[in-house]
Amino acid sequence: MKTLLLVGATSDIGRAVALEYAGAGWRILLAARDPAAGRRTADDVATRTGAPVSLHALDVLDDDGLAAFVDGLPELPDTAVCVVGELGSQERAQTDPAHARTILRTNFEGPALLLGILAERFLARGSGTLVGVSSVAGDRGRGSNYVYGAAKAGFSAFLSGLRNRLAPAGIRVLTVKPGFVRTRMTEGMKLPPLLTAEPAEVGRAVYTAAEKGRGDVIYVRGLWRGVMTVISLIPEPLFKRLKL
Ligand SMILES: NC(=O)c1ccc[n+]([C@@H]2O[C@H](COP(=O)([O-])OP(=O)(O)OC[C@H]3O[C@@H](n4cnc5c(N)ncnc54)[C@H](OP(=O)(O)O)[C@@H]3O)[C@@H](O)[C@H]2O)c1
């Protein structure tokens, strides 16, 4: 039986990914910074799929605890998926450095350091798949969310470098750009239906790309690749005049 480590068990996307793997017969290790909240996902996944599920406490901002967390798991997983992130408030981040730092660390530093440690363990074993959930927001900095976007850009670059380094050793690194997803993070936002996925759609896309496909970077809804290519091509003198 193969094992998945899902980091960010309380997230709607995380729950959907865990359900997808559990339904395919995998053992599930869930990590949450609040184990009591993570318990709901653990019970739900176990009840709905019958898969063996265990729950582990992890705050990805606890740098010193990351290696101990990985080494304390009941086993080294075959695949690790990190969905940890925080949208935060761009407006608040502009005047509150502590808030900006939390956004930067939660979307970049914590997930990157954790996946970096897992990468070394996978390299030593000679197998494994790492999946990082980044964002289209990292494809180009925009006035409305550049703190979050910059952190996701850093995370995407980290995953790209890790992939480049580990590919010859047969370790896969997958970057997932979900586009808009209807979750707690986007609650109350008006989202364009064509560009908005349901969590279950993201769960399926992650499982298929990580376990059945060969891709490196996926946009859950393909339309986003076109949208972000166009946005990336807009020359800076024009881009700075747009309200995005
Ligand atoms: N929803 C979208 O439209 C969208 C679009 C693009 C990308 N994404 C990305 O998809 C991922 C999942 O997002 P979501 O929509 O499911 O939102 P979410 O429910 O807010 O998920 C964020 C997850 O990160 C966890 N987390 C935050 N800080 C943490 C820390 N220091 N240590 C451990 N866990 C921590 C949260 O745990 P707590 O419950 O303890 O806070 C939660 O499980 C995020 O990386 C997000 O940036 C989402």
Side-chain angles (χ1 to χ4, degrees), residues 75-156:
E75 62 184 292
L76 188 62
D78 296 279
T79 295
V81 178
C82 181
V83 306
V84 168
E86 181 173 335
L87 185 58
S89 158
Q90 168 65 31
E91 211 173 294
R92 182 175 157 203
Q94 285 157 200
T95 53
D96 178 352
H99 185 59
R101 188 173 61 177
T102 300
I103 297 172
L104 292 168
R105 294 191 68 209
T106 306
N107 291 290
F108 177 24
E109 190 184 300
L113 295 179
L114 175 66
L115 292 187
I117 289 166
L118 282 159
E120 297 313 305
R121 302 296 187 274
F122 285 3
L123 203 52
R125 182 179 62 188
S127 68
T129 298
L130 293 163
V131 181
V133 174
S134 188
S135 173
V136 299
D139 289 3
R140 188 159 194 183
R142 290 178 291 118
S144 57
N145 74 346
Y146 60 86
V147 177
Y148 173 79
K152 290 296 196 188
F155 189 42
S156 294

Side-chain angles (χ1 to χ4, degrees), residues 8 10-13 33 58-61 83-85 106-107 133-135 148 152 178-181 183-186:
T10 55
S11 117
D12 293 331
I13 291 176
R33 68 173 155 179
L58 174 68
D59 183 335
V60 300
L61 300 187
V83 306
V84 168
T106 306
N107 291 290
V133 174
S134 188
S135 173
Y148 173 79
K152 290 296 196 188
F180 296 132
V181 188
T183 67
R184 172 180 70 167
M185 185 179 272
T186 54

